[in-house]
Amino acid sequence: MMLLTCPWCGPRDETEYHYGGQAHVAYPENPSDLSDEEWAEYLFFRDNPKGPFAERWSHSAGCRRWFNVVRDTATYEVLEVYTNADPRPVVGSPAGGSR
Amino acid sequence: MAKLLPEHPAWLWRDPDPKSSYDAVVVGGGGHGLATAYYLAKNHGMTNIAVLEKGWLAGGNMARNTTIIRSNYLWDESAAIYEFSLKQWEQLPAELDYDFLFSQRGVLNLAHTLQDVREATRRINANRLNRVDAEWLEPDEVAKVCPIVNVSQDVRYPVLGATFQPRAGIAKHDHVAWAFARACDAMGVDIIQNCEVTGFIKDGDRVVGVETSRGRINAGTVGLVAAGHSTVLAEKAGFRLPVQSHPLQALVSELYEPVHPTVVMSNHVHVYVSQAHKGELVMGAGVDAYNGYGQRGSFHVIEHQMAAALELFPIFGRARLLRTWGGIVDVSPDASPVIGPTPLENLYINCGWGTGGFKATPGAGWAMAHTMATGEPHDLNRAFGLERFVSGALIDEHGAAAVAH
């Protein structure tokens, strides 16, 4: 069971959250210019690293706001928690929660 | 049920050191990898083949699944490969001369809502058009097939009926792997354990070999059959896959007398249950929502699955859990597999089976072997290539995949 720290509400059990997959996937700036290959890339292809992964979580049973987490997908250690307004941090020491 | 397990011989396959070169290298020594090597040798006359396994033979998802075999999928492309697989399962014990206890005890897919009923009856019609055996059972008929299912209408999600595929069943998964491994070995295939692929040797866009923890191995053709770790390997080769890795848990109870004569699956309340030959109740649920490679899952998923199991099977109220485990499943956007060429020449992939790869073991091996040997997809996997994510010709099997993912 993971303990994730909502930037607004604090540490809460994983069951309070909804998972949103990879973070920082921007909607295409000029959608009408995209080729089929580029659309496929945008719609269906996501990173799937074994290690630190920047991903989105929503505190769906709490404040219902979205935020970002860098989590190690091999150990499930939460490395960083940050809001959508922040840039992706350089992965440092564990902060914001643990398993 | 309660049939004695067959004794397996002490010696099933050699333990060779890797040679410097093979005509075909299969990366991944699970069920699909072994089946691929088997059909490369049997159907295509190749014998200079290596199966490379980073851990021990069939110790990944092959050792972690709930062993259910069925072919009641919705779309024609899926029905074709799963039904082909089921037909192989029906004659493989004789072909491999190894009794892996394939037991055609049938599968019930329960419907709990009006929408479930509509989806289920649509799937039955689709199955029949594809000559896959399928019946609709009313609740009292469900109780005849599996008397311990609670068909009372006085529960939160009453059983409104079920699809039934009588030819579906279970097999002893370890024995399946050993049967394929022994047959491969007898045809000269080198099964090499503790041999991790760490990189790919390329000549331009052409793969000519693999770097491994046991040295460089040249290869005429390379197949990636690594389930949950497919994207990790693809990244080493330099391309992306449209799959995400998730933990999927299963668990077993202590051993009980035979009480559960079939396989019961429920999408809606989310549990699937069968009773192993030895007597354990084997149960699974959905995947954890988040990406993970940890081979363990979240406790709340087990909690949810146990609640569903208890509502459906009140008799399990005092059953005790013996152990839980997790596998890593590679989930594709349309819940269908990817089998076919990659952006690199000579490199082929079989991945994306999500929660349901075990049942497809022979068919996937057959199609992958054909693709690796000829460079072209087989009719069984023509629709399952990577190009479908560009063309948009997806094969949406989220409903028939029967597990939330």
Side-chain angles (χ1 to χ4, degrees), chain B residues 2 5 15 33 72 98 118 126 137 183 188 233 236 243 252 302 343-344 402:
Chain B
L5 297 181
D15 185 24
N72 55 351
Y98 199 116
R118 289 174 180 146
L137 302 187
L233 281 169
K236 289 184 205 297
V243 301
V252 292
I302 293 178
L344 295 165

Side-chain angles (χ1 to χ4, degrees), chain B residues 8 16 19 33 35 39 48 90 120 167 192 194 254 267 277 284 287 293 295 317 333 346 381 405:
Chain B
H8 64 80
K19 293 192 284 190
Y39 290 117
N48 188 26
E90 286 171 329
R167 285 165 61 243
I192 301 163
N194 299 309
E254 294 178 325
N267 270 4
H277 296 84
V287 302
Y293 288 90
Q295 293 189 325
N346 275 2
N381 64 312
H405 65 255

Side-chain angles (χ1 to χ4, degrees), chain A residues 1-2 14-15 19 22 36-37 40-41 44-50 53 57 71 73-76 99, chain B residues 229 231-232 240-245 247 289-294 296-300 333 389-390 394:
Chain A
M1 194 81 79
M2 286 194 290
E14 136 186 23
T15 54
Y19 187 63
Q22 184 178 350
D36 288 351
E37 286 75 16
E41 189 75 15
F44 300 126
F45 289 72
R46 294 291 180 270
D47 293 342
N48 186 30
K50 187 177 186 177
F53 183 45
W57 289 83
R71 185 179 57 94
T73 60
T75 64
Y76 303 151
R99 186 180 168 88
Chain B
H229 280 72
T231 39
V232 175
R240 291 177 99 197
L241 286 172
V243 301
Q244 299 276 283
S245 299
Y290 54 77
N291 290 28
Y293 288 90
R296 61 176 190 258
S298 299
F299 187 73
H300 67 86
F389 297 100
V390 175
L394 303 183

